[in-house]
mmCIF file of all heavy atoms in Angstrom:
data_model
loop_
_atom_site.group_PDB
_atom_site.id
_atom_site.type_symbol
_atom_site.label_atom_id
_atom_site.label_comp_id
_atom_site.label_asym_id
_atom_site.label_seq_id
_atom_site.Cartn_x
_atom_site.Cartn_y
_atom_site.Cartn_z
ATOM 1 N N THR E 735 119.145 86.050 127.803
ATOM 2 C CA THR E 735 120.349 86.887 127.841
ATOM 3 C C THR E 735 121.008 87.049 126.472
ATOM 4 O O THR E 735 122.059 87.687 126.375
ATOM 5 C CB THR E 735 121.377 86.301 128.828
ATOM 6 O OG1 THR E 735 121.732 84.965 128.430
ATOM 7 C CG2 THR E 735 120.815 86.260 130.245
ATOM 8 N N LEU E 736 120.422 86.474 125.425
ATOM 9 C CA LEU E 736 121.012 86.601 124.094
ATOM 10 C C LEU E 736 121.057 88.064 123.661
ATOM 11 O O LEU E 736 120.109 88.816 123.902
ATOM 12 C CB LEU E 736 120.197 85.825 123.067
ATOM 13 C CG LEU E 736 120.368 84.299 122.973
ATOM 14 C CD1 LEU E 736 119.498 83.770 121.855
ATOM 15 C CD2 LEU E 736 121.808 83.917 122.755
ATOM 16 N N PRO E 737 122.132 88.493 123.013
ATOM 17 C CA PRO E 737 122.134 89.827 122.410
ATOM 18 C C PRO E 737 121.016 89.945 121.379
ATOM 19 O O PRO E 737 120.554 88.944 120.827
ATOM 20 C CB PRO E 737 123.520 89.907 121.736
ATOM 21 C CG PRO E 737 124.346 88.880 122.437
ATOM 22 C CD PRO E 737 123.404 87.785 122.833
ATOM 23 N N ALA E 738 120.596 91.169 121.108
ATOM 24 C CA ALA E 738 119.436 91.409 120.244
ATOM 25 C C ALA E 738 119.585 90.756 118.876
ATOM 26 O O ALA E 738 118.632 90.160 118.352
ATOM 27 C CB ALA E 738 119.207 92.908 120.092
ATOM 28 N N LYS E 739 120.762 90.824 118.288
ATOM 29 C CA LYS E 739 120.963 90.258 116.948
ATOM 30 C C LYS E 739 120.840 88.740 116.968
ATOM 31 O O LYS E 739 120.205 88.142 116.086
ATOM 32 C CB LYS E 739 122.333 90.673 116.408
ATOM 33 C CG LYS E 739 122.564 90.289 114.963
ATOM 34 C CD LYS E 739 123.879 90.858 114.447
ATOM 35 C CE LYS E 739 124.093 90.493 112.978
ATOM 36 N NZ LYS E 739 125.378 91.036 112.451
ATOM 37 N N ALA E 740 121.419 88.108 117.992
ATOM 38 C CA ALA E 740 121.332 86.653 118.105
ATOM 39 C C ALA E 740 119.903 86.205 118.406
ATOM 40 O O ALA E 740 119.446 85.169 117.914
ATOM 41 C CB ALA E 740 122.287 86.156 119.196
ATOM 42 N N LEU E 741 119.180 86.989 119.218
ATOM 43 C CA LEU E 741 117.791 86.667 119.521
ATOM 44 C C LEU E 741 116.929 86.745 118.259
ATOM 45 O O LEU E 741 116.098 85.862 118.003
ATOM 46 C CB LEU E 741 117.253 87.618 120.582
ATOM 47 C CG LEU E 741 115.788 87.423 120.977
ATOM 48 C CD1 LEU E 741 115.579 86.070 121.641
ATOM 49 C CD2 LEU E 741 115.329 88.548 121.910
ATOM 50 N N ALA E 742 117.144 87.789 117.449
ATOM 51 C CA ALA E 742 116.388 87.933 116.207
ATOM 52 C C ALA E 742 116.661 86.767 115.262
ATOM 53 O O ALA E 742 115.762 86.298 114.556
ATOM 54 C CB ALA E 742 116.732 89.255 115.531
ATOM 55 N N ALA E 743 117.902 86.278 115.255
ATOM 56 C CA ALA E 743 118.246 85.138 114.406
ATOM 57 C C ALA E 743 117.587 83.857 114.905
ATOM 58 O O ALA E 743 117.173 83.006 114.106
ATOM 59 C CB ALA E 743 119.763 84.964 114.356
ATOM 60 N N ALA E 744 117.474 83.706 116.235
ATOM 61 C CA ALA E 744 116.874 82.487 116.806
ATOM 62 C C ALA E 744 115.373 82.448 116.583
ATOM 63 O O ALA E 744 114.796 81.385 116.323
ATOM 64 C CB ALA E 744 117.190 82.398 118.300
ATOM 65 N N ARG E 745 114.716 83.599 116.680
ATOM 66 C CA ARG E 745 113.273 83.653 116.442
ATOM 67 C C ARG E 745 112.998 83.375 114.976
ATOM 68 O O ARG E 745 113.517 84.047 114.095
ATOM 69 C CB ARG E 745 112.717 85.027 116.795
ATOM 70 C CG ARG E 745 112.666 85.353 118.276
ATOM 71 C CD ARG E 745 112.154 86.767 118.426
ATOM 72 N NE ARG E 745 112.085 87.230 119.791
ATOM 73 C CZ ARG E 745 112.098 88.512 120.136
ATOM 74 N NH1 ARG E 745 112.199 89.449 119.191
ATOM 75 N NH2 ARG E 745 112.024 88.876 121.401
ATOM 76 N N GLY E 746 112.170 82.410 114.729
ATOM 77 C CA GLY E 746 111.845 82.048 113.361
ATOM 78 C C GLY E 746 112.642 80.868 112.866
ATOM 79 O O GLY E 746 112.086 79.907 112.345
ATOM 80 N N SER E 747 113.970 80.904 113.046
ATOM 81 C CA SER E 747 114.801 79.811 112.554
ATOM 82 C C SER E 747 114.898 78.659 113.550
ATOM 83 O O SER E 747 114.932 77.491 113.161
ATOM 84 C CB SER E 747 116.204 80.324 112.224
ATOM 85 O OG SER E 747 116.839 80.824 113.388
ATOM 86 N N ARG E 748 114.950 78.965 114.854
ATOM 87 C CA ARG E 748 115.039 77.918 115.877
ATOM 88 C C ARG E 748 113.754 77.779 116.687
ATOM 89 O O ARG E 748 113.371 76.686 117.077
ATOM 90 C CB ARG E 748 116.215 78.192 116.832
ATOM 91 C CG ARG E 748 117.577 78.021 116.185
ATOM 92 C CD ARG E 748 118.678 78.140 117.214
ATOM 93 N NE ARG E 748 119.990 77.950 116.637
ATOM 94 C CZ ARG E 748 120.553 76.765 116.447
ATOM 95 N NH1 ARG E 748 119.908 75.663 116.804
ATOM 96 N NH2 ARG E 748 121.754 76.659 115.916
ATOM 97 N N VAL E 749 113.118 78.881 116.984
ATOM 98 C CA VAL E 749 111.881 78.854 117.760
ATOM 99 C C VAL E 749 110.898 79.838 117.130
ATOM 100 O O VAL E 749 111.285 80.934 116.720
ATOM 101 C CB VAL E 749 112.138 79.197 119.245
ATOM 102 C CG1 VAL E 749 112.851 80.531 119.402
ATOM 103 C CG2 VAL E 749 110.837 79.191 120.053
ATOM 104 N N ALA E 750 109.652 79.423 117.017
ATOM 105 C CA ALA E 750 108.618 80.275 116.424
ATOM 106 C C ALA E 750 107.355 80.181 117.264
ATOM 107 O O ALA E 750 107.184 79.252 118.056
ATOM 108 C CB ALA E 750 108.339 79.864 114.983
ATOM 109 N N MET E 751 106.459 81.144 117.065
ATOM 110 C CA MET E 751 105.271 81.219 117.910
ATOM 111 C C MET E 751 104.055 81.557 117.071
ATOM 112 O O MET E 751 104.134 82.346 116.124
ATOM 113 C CB MET E 751 105.480 82.287 118.994
ATOM 114 C CG MET E 751 104.408 82.324 120.057
ATOM 115 S SD MET E 751 104.944 83.359 121.447
ATOM 116 C CE MET E 751 103.523 83.204 122.539
ATOM 117 N N ILE E 752 102.924 80.919 117.406
ATOM 118 C CA ILE E 752 101.648 81.288 116.808
ATOM 119 C C ILE E 752 100.704 81.717 117.926
ATOM 120 O O ILE E 752 100.790 81.221 119.046
ATOM 121 C CB ILE E 752 101.039 80.151 115.973
ATOM 122 C CG1 ILE E 752 100.901 78.862 116.788
ATOM 123 C CG2 ILE E 752 101.872 79.894 114.736
ATOM 124 C CD1 ILE E 752 100.242 77.734 116.033
ATOM 125 N N PHE E 753 99.796 82.633 117.578
ATOM 126 C CA PHE E 753 98.962 83.273 118.584
ATOM 127 C C PHE E 753 97.493 82.928 118.379
ATOM 128 O O PHE E 753 97.090 82.318 117.395
ATOM 129 C CB PHE E 753 99.166 84.787 118.557
ATOM 130 C CG PHE E 753 100.564 85.216 118.900
ATOM 131 C CD1 PHE E 753 101.527 85.333 117.912
ATOM 132 C CD2 PHE E 753 100.915 85.479 120.214
ATOM 133 C CE1 PHE E 753 102.824 85.722 118.230
ATOM 134 C CE2 PHE E 753 102.210 85.868 120.536
ATOM 135 C CZ PHE E 753 103.154 85.987 119.539
ATOM 136 N N GLN E 754 96.695 83.388 119.332
ATOM 137 C CA GLN E 754 95.273 83.054 119.384
ATOM 138 C C GLN E 754 94.461 83.714 118.270
ATOM 139 O O GLN E 754 93.606 83.081 117.673
ATOM 140 C CB GLN E 754 94.722 83.467 120.742
ATOM 141 C CG GLN E 754 93.231 83.259 120.923
ATOM 142 C CD GLN E 754 92.790 83.618 122.319
ATOM 143 O OE1 GLN E 754 93.586 83.648 123.247
ATOM 144 N NE2 GLN E 754 91.521 83.898 122.487
ATOM 145 N N GLU E 755 94.725 84.978 117.983
ATOM 146 C CA GLU E 755 93.868 85.734 117.060
ATOM 147 C C GLU E 755 94.675 86.183 115.840
ATOM 148 O O GLU E 755 95.454 87.139 115.921
ATOM 149 C CB GLU E 755 93.266 86.940 117.772
ATOM 150 C CG GLU E 755 92.346 87.783 116.909
ATOM 151 C CD GLU E 755 91.395 86.957 116.052
ATOM 152 O OE1 GLU E 755 90.484 86.317 116.614
ATOM 153 O OE2 GLU E 755 91.582 86.941 114.816
ATOM 154 N N PRO E 756 94.510 85.515 114.706
ATOM 155 C CA PRO E 756 95.311 85.842 113.530
ATOM 156 C C PRO E 756 95.178 87.286 113.062
ATOM 157 O O PRO E 756 96.150 87.872 112.568
ATOM 158 C CB PRO E 756 94.784 84.874 112.457
ATOM 159 C CG PRO E 756 94.146 83.762 113.206
ATOM 160 C CD PRO E 756 93.607 84.380 114.460
ATOM 161 N N MET E 757 93.995 87.878 113.183
ATOM 162 C CA MET E 757 93.805 89.225 112.646
ATOM 163 C C MET E 757 94.617 90.279 113.387
ATOM 164 O O MET E 757 94.838 91.372 112.861
ATOM 165 C CB MET E 757 92.320 89.597 112.658
ATOM 166 C CG MET E 757 91.515 88.926 111.538
ATOM 167 S SD MET E 757 92.154 89.238 109.882
ATOM 168 C CE MET E 757 91.557 90.900 109.598
ATOM 169 N N THR E 758 95.062 89.991 114.598
ATOM 170 C CA THR E 758 95.933 90.931 115.300
ATOM 171 C C THR E 758 97.406 90.678 114.974
ATOM 172 O O THR E 758 98.260 91.486 115.343
ATOM 173 C CB THR E 758 95.730 90.840 116.820
ATOM 174 O OG1 THR E 758 96.121 89.540 117.271
ATOM 175 C CG2 THR E 758 94.281 91.092 117.193
ATOM 176 N N CYS E 759 97.707 89.571 114.306
ATOM 177 C CA CYS E 759 99.098 89.215 114.005
ATOM 178 C C CYS E 759 99.450 89.405 112.536
ATOM 179 O O CYS E 759 100.624 89.571 112.202
ATOM 180 C CB CYS E 759 99.358 87.752 114.386
ATOM 181 S SG CYS E 759 99.013 87.365 116.102
ATOM 182 N N LEU E 760 98.442 89.353 111.664
ATOM 183 C CA LEU E 760 98.687 89.498 110.238
ATOM 184 C C LEU E 760 98.514 90.959 109.821
ATOM 185 O O LEU E 760 97.604 91.637 110.285
ATOM 186 C CB LEU E 760 97.717 88.614 109.447
ATOM 187 C CG LEU E 760 97.888 87.101 109.632
ATOM 188 C CD1 LEU E 760 96.742 86.347 108.976
ATOM 189 C CD2 LEU E 760 99.223 86.640 109.083
ATOM 190 N N ASN E 761 99.377 91.409 108.936
ATOM 191 C CA ASN E 761 99.309 92.778 108.418
ATOM 192 C C ASN E 761 98.162 92.872 107.417
ATOM 193 O O ASN E 761 98.165 92.171 106.400
ATOM 194 C CB ASN E 761 100.635 93.129 107.739
ATOM 195 C CG ASN E 761 100.725 94.598 107.362
ATOM 196 O OD1 ASN E 761 99.719 95.235 107.071
ATOM 197 N ND2 ASN E 761 101.935 95.132 107.351
#
């Protein structure tokens, strides 16, 4: 239920995620 700005701040600084296939996640 976090507002979009607060959610963006939490992602990365408080909680982060890594995925199965790096080539689909890296630019």
Side-chain angles (χ1 to χ4, degrees):
T735 59
L736 281 182
K739 187 174 181 180
L741 178 65
R745 289 177 182 157
S747 62
R748 291 187 179 275
V749 55
M751 189 168 181
I752 55 177
F753 297 89
Q754 177 177 339
E755 181 43 69
M757 284 304 282
T758 64
C759 303
L760 294 171
N761 189 329

